Amino acid sequence: MLKTVHFEIETITPMFISGADQGKAELRAPSIKGLLRFWWRAMHPISSMDILKQKESSIFGSGGENDSGGSSFSIRLVYNTVPTAKEKFPKQNIIVASKGKTFPVNILEYLAYGTYKYEGKEKGNVFLREWIKPGTKFHIDMTFFEETYIDEVLESMRVFSLFGGIGSRSRNGFGGFSILNDDEAFGSLSFIGSSKDAYNRNSIVSLVRKIENQPYTSFTQRTKLFRSKTPHVTWDSALAEIGKIYRSARESLERRHVYEKRQYVGAPIIADKKDKSFLDRHAKPYFMRVAREGTQYSSYILYLPSLYAQGLDKDQFGSTIDHDVVDERFSEICAEVNNYLSQNMETIL
């Protein structure tokens, strides 16, 4: 018998998600299913990639994200209209210095880098892409074709809703959402505690596996979670706070115009029109999240560790990668960032 679980969703932060037309905002079920797959994998650190992929295919299907034939469930989005915008974000300025001058930069635009272009002093940064407004409501219906994996999918959805986001720049806190009917949707699922206190230490500890880092970002024993020390009254001030802290953490690693350490936090690093990182791309292991808690907003930064360049023999310049060296360096630099975060935020885990 088919079982359908209904989720009532409300967006918390601007959501950059689109279809074929990258400039037009569009909610897409395949994108959400792909993100759900990512969080399921993060929750299952398994040393054998063959075993991991086999089970992942049983749950999510082995074809493309549009192919639900091999999947144990399907996703359907239900909504009337989706309010979108290209307007500027609320001002949350910081002062930056460059070439002997200082000028204001909106930290929210810093976090959304790549979604806009600079149109001169008069217009400033202008968004190239529409974004779905905070407070937008829509429904997700998950229909399960078999019962075997229902709990695992629901657990993944729970973690996705707590730490992830939908669309571009989700690791920078955009695309955050809340599940309005979480108690109903998750039923008797005891995983990760009560919805009223989902970020408590005991709940998060239950996610972590006592296993060393894996080739992919996952909840292994070095996982960290940090929370803002004070709540905020708006989403933008909550996101601005962790944006400022994260930016300062990166800058604390080394002096300006040196990128040896920062390339490990996220690549590429483009400076003077050149790529300064030895990998052409590497997503940062940090996930920023704004959560609505009652009438206020709290902000979180989740650190999910991994090995650094697993599966690659050479870097983008043709040099052989010494995995022992780069993995140790990656861990050392993330430890420095985590130490900075712990000094400026509350450490949950």
Side-chain angles (χ1 to χ4, degrees), residues 238-308:
L239 183 54
E241 180 186 9
I242 51 172
K244 294 172 185 176
I245 293 172
Y246 172 75
R247 181 177 182 274
S248 296
R250 289 181 75 251
E251 291 187 338
S252 71
L253 291 172
E254 54 201 348
R255 66 183 187 275
R256 293 185 65 194
H257 310 304
V258 177
Y259 309 101
E260 191 278 327
K261 290 184 177 181
R262 279 181 282 175
Q263 67 177 322
Y264 282 92
V265 181
I269 292 182
I270 307 299
D272 300 324
K273 298 182 179 180
K274 294 181 180 179
D275 191 346
K276 304 295 184 178
S277 39
F278 68 87
L279 293 187
D280 59 352
R281 179 170 176 77
H282 192 282
K284 63 175 173 285
Y286 294 95
F287 298 78
M288 303 180 205
R289 184 64 160 85
V290 172
R292 187 173 59 227
E293 298 174 345
T295 59
Q296 296 180 309
Y297 297 85
S298 293
S299 43
Y300 296 84
I301 297 181
L302 172 70
Y303 166 64
L304 288 184
S306 70
L307 300 177
Y308 188 68

Side-chain angles (χ1 to χ4, degrees), residues 23-304:
K24 185 176 178 59
E26 177 187 348
L27 287 169
R28 302 183 67 249
S31 298
I32 294 173
K33 192 171 185 181
L35 289 163
L36 194 61
R37 180 193 289 254
F38 169 88
W39 286 102
W40 176 88
R41 179 177 282 208
M43 293 169 60
H44 294 84
I46 301 173
S47 297
S48 170
M49 292 299 293
D50 289 338
I51 294 175
L52 177 79
K53 290 178 180 179
Q54 183 178 11
K55 187 171 184 182
E56 181 181 292
S57 296
S58 298
I59 298 173
F60 296 95
S62 56
E65 289 298 335
N66 287 309
D67 179 14
S68 62
S71 175
S72 66
F73 69 102
S74 66
I75 290 180
R76 184 172 73 97
L77 298 180
V78 182
Y79 54 89
N80 293 320
T81 59
V82 176
T84 63
K86 278 190 174 180
E87 62 198 47
K88 290 183 178 296
F89 289 149
K91 281 189 177 181
Q92 293 288 347
N93 288 346
I94 59 173
I95 301 300
V96 301
S98 178
K99 298 179 180 179
K101 297 182 180 179
T102 60
F103 53 92
V105 169
N106 190 336
I107 190 66
L108 301 180
E109 292 181 356
Y110 168 85
L111 294 174
Y113 181 79
T115 63
Y116 55 81
K117 65 177 179 178
Y118 183 66
E119 294 281 6
K121 288 185 177 180
E122 186 173 329
K123 291 186 177 180
N125 292 326
V126 176
F127 282 105
L128 300 170
R129 304 179 58 179
E130 290 181 344
W131 42 273
I132 297 173
K133 292 184 176 183
T136 298
K137 294 182 180 180
F138 61 96
H139 298 164
I140 295 176
D141 286 336
M142 285 187 192
T143 299
F144 296 88
F145 309 126
E146 54 180 283
E147 296 184 0
T148 308
Y149 301 113
I150 289 179
D151 281 358
E152 285 193 42
V153 174
L154 292 181
E155 289 167 359
S156 301
M157 183 64 178
R158 185 80 171 110
V159 173
F160 176 21
S161 72
L162 293 175
F163 300 112
I166 299 171
S168 298
R169 303 298 176 268
S170 60
R171 294 195 191 204
N172 282 1
F174 291 101
F177 63 95
S178 60
I179 298 176
L180 302 179
N181 66 327
D182 52 359
D183 288 336
E184 173 191 344
F186 297 114
S188 60
L189 194 68
S190 61
F191 188 79
I192 204 166
S194 166
S195 61
K196 294 180 176 60
D197 192 20
Y199 295 96
N200 72 78
R201 178 180 172 83
N202 290 336
S203 293
I204 306 307
V205 166
S206 69
L207 286 170
V208 175
R209 303 293 178 262
K210 292 183 179 180
I211 187 173
E212 285 295 333
N213 294 350
Q214 298 300 302
Y216 53 95
T217 53
S218 50
F219 286 92
T220 53
Q221 59 191 10
R222 299 185 187 181
T223 297
K224 297 288 185 182
L225 179 63
F226 307 93
R227 175 168 50 201
S228 55
K229 292 183 178 179
T230 57
H232 295 261
V233 296
T234 62
W235 69 264
D236 52 284
S237 60
L239 183 54
E241 180 186 9
I242 51 172
K244 294 172 185 176
I245 293 172
Y246 172 75
R247 181 177 182 274
S248 296
R250 289 181 75 251
E251 291 187 338
S252 71
L253 291 172
E254 54 201 348
R255 66 183 187 275
R256 293 185 65 194
H257 310 304
V258 177
Y259 309 101
E260 191 278 327
K261 290 184 177 181
R262 279 181 282 175
Q263 67 177 322
Y264 282 92
V265 181
I269 292 182
I270 307 299
D272 300 324
K273 298 182 179 180
K274 294 181 180 179
D275 191 346
K276 304 295 184 178
S277 39
F278 68 87
L279 293 187
D280 59 352
R281 179 170 176 77
H282 192 282
K284 63 175 173 285
Y286 294 95
F287 298 78
M288 303 180 205
R289 184 64 160 85
V290 172
R292 187 173 59 227
E293 298 174 345
T295 59
Q296 296 180 309
Y297 297 85
S298 293
S299 43
Y300 296 84
I301 297 181
L302 172 70
Y303 166 64
L304 288 184

